[in-house]
Amino acid sequence: MASRIATHEVLNQSPPYEDVDLFASDTPLQEAVRANGVDEAAALSEFGRHWGAADMFHQARLANQNEPKLETFDAKGFRRDIVEFHPAYHAFMAESVGAGLHVMTWNRAGSPAGPPSEVARAARYYMVAQVENGHMCPITMTRASVGALNVEPKVLARLMPKIFSRQYDARFLPWWEKSGITLGMGMTEKQGGTDVRANSTRAEPAGGDYRITGHKWFMSAPMCDVFLVLAQAPGGLTCFAMPRFTPDGNVNGLRLQRLKDKLGNRSNASSEVEFVDAFAWRVGEEGRGVRTIIEMVQLTRLDCAIASAGLMRMALAQAVHHTRHRTVFQKRLADQPMMRALTADMALELEGTVALVMRLARAFDLAPRDRNEAARARLLTPAVKYWICKTAPAFIYEAMECLGGNGYVEEGMLARLYREAPVNAIWEGSGNVMCLDVVRALGREADETRGVLAALACADLPGMRDAAALVAATLAAPDAESHARAAVEQLAVMAAAAALAESAPAQIAELFATTRLPRRRGATYGTAHLDGDAMSLLLSRALAG
Ligand SMILES: Cc1cc2nc3c(=O)[nH]c(=O)nc-3n(C[C@H](O)[C@H](O)[C@H](O)COP(=O)(O)OP(=O)(O)OC[C@H]3O[C@@H](n4cnc5c(N)ncnc54)[C@H](O)[C@@H]3O)c2cc1C
């Protein structure tokens, strides 16, 4: 593509990667979705074209360049405690709420919608994550909150009709006056995020409900209408639903102190908040706060993994697209042997990643009626979150380098993807905490979770049995915590290989297993020793067209 400007012709730059079909161009995604029970290729392709439009990419840039602003006071000194977002952020919220990403896995009453809603949503979520991530935070929290609200039918029945709506209503009004609402959550305090039992925020019973005083050090998407928060009630740490307005229509006592100045996730606001005698409903019994909120946390962890996989996908698509159009030393980059080895190895990693997240979403679909699938979701969710969210930053960085200097500048998308990636590992249980959770699951729910390991080992792939034996032995040893990272990574890789065996051509699953079980690659991509045919296959599957 050449364009004449005053001093020279612009040559050898790749055309923008936009106006693409994020579904039809992605063979591994299509296969993983189909294998996990979703047969709606035409609808997903329409969704993929819509989200892959040039204007969506443009709006995503605007939403992230124009960060949300906290309006603590008005001009006369009255408290406002609101956050103003760029219109592009609201446009994305309207899109995702309109598509039902905040609720499509639930029915009107708040029970699971049933298969294949988790996979159908995961496929869409994966595509949205390729374009704009900040707004997905409240989308994720809203859908996940229903899991926790299920323990308190009265509160669920009150809020569910508004959650179920597919209309995004950004107005700062009491929840019952709005056409649709979103939910956030606040657990992390200054003295502890992992150790929520150390929460100092207090809840006092008041006329059947509660009044809460204290703080949260991180509370994202503070313009949500209701927040699930943890606080110390007389009976111990308890979960509460705290609306932005009290039942008499006054603004509730949530004082937004400051917005975090974050590495990435810029379109989304993350606040520090103080609760001043704030009204709240109890959700679940007093003293059962962690047990209650964990219903939400498993779902948000799944979304962290899908979102990171989506970031990886966009990074790889940009890299493969660029190398197909850029010539260096009289040869397309895509034909340079080392670049082929690099992008093919990355494509193979993503094959395993997308198969894995879709298979995990399937486990969530089947869990309510199938104990084995419930155990699979229980054991693998922290392992998958750990592996994918940890893999994403290095993967995106490698993709960035494929674009050379263009990868590093803000007009391109790679810089934003790179800054976005670490947050998924940090929130909702940081890396070590995910590994501890796997160790806990294998200890406390030993029969079920060992059954998952045994089932994975049965996949007819090289290295699986040895890997499963090693994982089981390591995680059962008295010093399991010290070696948990290696074992949990291996567990996730095994699960990815097994997922590929169910969804991808046998050759792909074999390639994945032989290059990764045990790890035969170096620390960077492009070191997997793939032969020329394998590279061609992987690269043609990675980006159609
Ligand atoms: C952008 C962003 C948005 C967020 N939004 C929200 C939100 O909306 N609501 C909310 O409640 N929180 C939110 N958080 C907070 C987030 O969930 C916490 O930061 C996270 O849970 C970690 O808690 P912490 O920061 O207190 O770190 P700590 O708990 O102090 O942990 C520090 C490190 O120690 C490790 N660690 C902890 N325990 C162990 C152990 N036993 N052995 C070995 N290592 C261990 C952890 O893995 C971590 O790496 C957000 C964070 C970010 C960055």
Side-chain angles (χ1 to χ4, degrees):
M1 162 184 285
S3 138
R4 173 109 220 125
I5 58 174
T7 57
H8 60 286
E9 263 178 50
V10 179
L11 296 169
N12 197 24
Q13 290 282 13
S14 58
Y17 180 72
E18 56 191 27
D19 289 327
V20 286
D21 181 335
L22 300 175
F23 186 73
S25 59
D26 187 343
T27 304
L29 173 64
Q30 292 164 47
E31 289 172 355
V33 162
R34 204 178 317 119
N36 287 294
V38 172
D39 191 12
E40 46 168 318
L44 288 172
S45 194
E46 192 185 331
F47 190 88
R49 276 196 305 279
H50 182 64
W51 279 87
D55 189 51
M56 287 295 215
F57 289 93
H58 175 62
Q59 295 293 329
R61 201 162 82 223
L62 288 179
N64 284 277
Q65 280 173 345
N66 298 280
E67 293 174 22
K69 293 200 172 43
L70 175 62
E71 299 276 324
T72 315
F73 298 100
D74 71 7
K76 305 282 166 54
F78 292 103
R79 280 206 81 109
R80 296 198 73 206
D81 292 300
I82 62 164
V83 177
E84 288 188 343
F85 292 88
H86 189 269
Y89 172 89
H90 290 302
F92 281 116
M93 286 297 290
E95 287 283 351
S96 286
V97 169
L101 296 186
H102 68 303
V103 79
M104 64 188 283
T105 58
W106 306 108
N107 63 27
R108 194 173 285 278
S111 311
S117 62
E118 287 284 352
V119 180
R121 175 180 178 276
R124 289 169 170 83
Y125 197 92
Y126 180 71
M127 289 188 264
V128 173
Q130 296 175 38
V131 181
E132 209 295 306
N133 283 261
H135 83 284
M136 301 178 80
C137 171
I139 297 292
T140 283
M141 293 193 293
T142 303
R143 99 89 176 206
S145 64
V146 178
L149 289 176
N150 259 289
V151 303
E152 201 60 49
K154 256 173 42 193
V155 179
L156 178 70
R158 198 175 288 148
L159 297 178
M160 199 59 209
K162 295 292 182 187
I163 297 174
F164 201 69
S165 163
R166 293 200 176 196
Q167 286 176 33
Y168 171 61
D169 188 341
R171 293 172 300 164
F172 188 47
L173 288 175
W175 62 268
W176 59 90
E177 291 180 23
K178 295 180 66 164
S179 52
I181 62 172
T182 53
L183 277 78
M185 64 186 205
M187 296 188 281
T188 307
E189 297 189 358
K190 288 173 187 143
Q191 71 282 359
T194 303
D195 188 5
V196 290
R197 288 186 192 278
N199 271 194
S200 63
T201 297
R202 309 214 66 80
E204 301 293 336
D209 297 306
Y210 287 77
R211 292 284 173 175
I212 296 188
T213 302
H215 83 282
K216 294 295 162 187
W217 184 229
F218 279 89
M219 197 177 79
S220 289
M223 292 309 283
C224 285
D225 299 282
V226 179
F227 296 88
L228 293 186
V229 300
L230 290 177
Q232 303 287 356
L237 192 67
T238 304
C239 180
F240 295 92
M242 181 187 284
R244 285 297 309 263
F245 287 79
T246 57
D248 58 10
N250 287 315
V251 177
N252 202 2
L254 288 85
R255 306 280 184 254
L256 305 183
Q257 302 297 106
R258 200 160 58 151
L259 296 188
K260 301 287 189 189
D261 183 6
K262 296 177 288 184
L263 169 68
N265 198 248
R266 296 275 178 108
S267 63
N268 179 34
S270 298
S271 70
E272 295 165 14
V273 61
E274 294 199 353
F275 303 141
V276 184
D277 204 27
F279 169 89
W281 301 293
R282 182 170 46 73
V283 178
E285 290 169 32
E286 282 193 9
R288 304 264 302 160
V290 173
R291 188 62 241 131
T292 302
I293 209 119
I294 211 79
E295 296 299 328
M296 173 175 189
V297 168
Q298 278 292 82
L299 296 172
T300 49
R301 288 176 180 170
L302 170 63
D303 275 6
C304 288
I306 306 170
S308 282
L311 293 171
M312 291 163 72
R313 166 69 199 165
M314 178 50 69
L316 179 71
Q318 297 265 358
V320 171
H321 170 80
H322 181 77
T323 59
R324 284 178 184 169
H325 291 90
R326 179 84 164 176
T327 300
V328 177
F329 301 133
Q330 292 87 47
K331 217 175 182 179
R332 282 188 329 150
L333 270 178
D335 297 326
Q336 297 281 6
M338 209 185 315
M339 184 59 90
R340 274 166 61 75
L342 169 60
T343 47
D345 196 11
M346 293 170 71
L348 185 54
E349 187 90 339
L350 191 60
E351 292 257 9
T353 301
V354 69
L356 180 60
V357 287
M358 293 304 153
R359 180 62 185 87
L360 183 59
R362 174 80 170 158
F364 276 79
D365 260 332
L366 301 177
R369 286 163 198 276
D370 183 331
R371 288 184 58 187
N372 294 333
E373 292 294 332
R376 178 184 277 261
R378 168 69 189 93
L379 180 69
L380 293 186
T381 303
V384 171
K385 179 184 186 283
Y386 175 76
W387 180 59
I388 295 179
C389 298
K390 287 275 172 215
T391 308
F395 185 100
I396 295 165
Y397 152 67
E398 236 4 303
M400 176 189 282
E401 197 168 307
C402 293
L403 275 78
N406 288 351
Y408 197 72
V409 300
E410 286 292 336
E411 284 98 337
M413 205 172 166
L414 271 298
R416 173 154 56 83
L417 297 181
Y418 183 65
R419 282 200 310 272
E420 189 68 36
V423 72
N424 288 327
I426 291 175
W427 88 301
E428 288 307 83
S430 311
N432 289 353
V433 176
M434 291 299 86
C435 296
L436 289 175
D437 201 30
V438 173
V439 175
R440 202 175 303 125
L442 278 166
R444 286 199 195 145
E445 295 134 78
D447 289 347
E448 286 94 338
T449 48
R450 275 172 197 282
V452 178
L453 263 180
L456 292 178
C458 286
D460 187 18
L461 288 170
M464 287 292 260
R465 280 182 192 283
D466 290 349
L470 189 69
V471 168
T474 308
L475 294 178
D479 60 349
E481 279 190 28
S482 309
H483 306 289
R485 276 184 165 236
V488 170
E489 182 178 320
Q490 193 79 149
L491 171 61
V493 171
M494 280 175 59
L500 280 171
E502 291 179 27
S503 62
Q507 190 187 351
I508 300 290
E510 292 250 341
L511 281 171
F512 188 87
T514 47
T515 54
R516 283 149 170 88
L517 283 173
R519 193 178 178 90
R520 293 214 181 85
R521 308 160 52 236
T524 56
Y525 292 99
T527 54
H529 291 293
L530 300 165
D531 67 28
D533 289 346
M535 289 184 206
S536 299
L537 174 66
L538 286 162
L539 290 168
S540 67
R541 289 166 55 82
L543 192 63

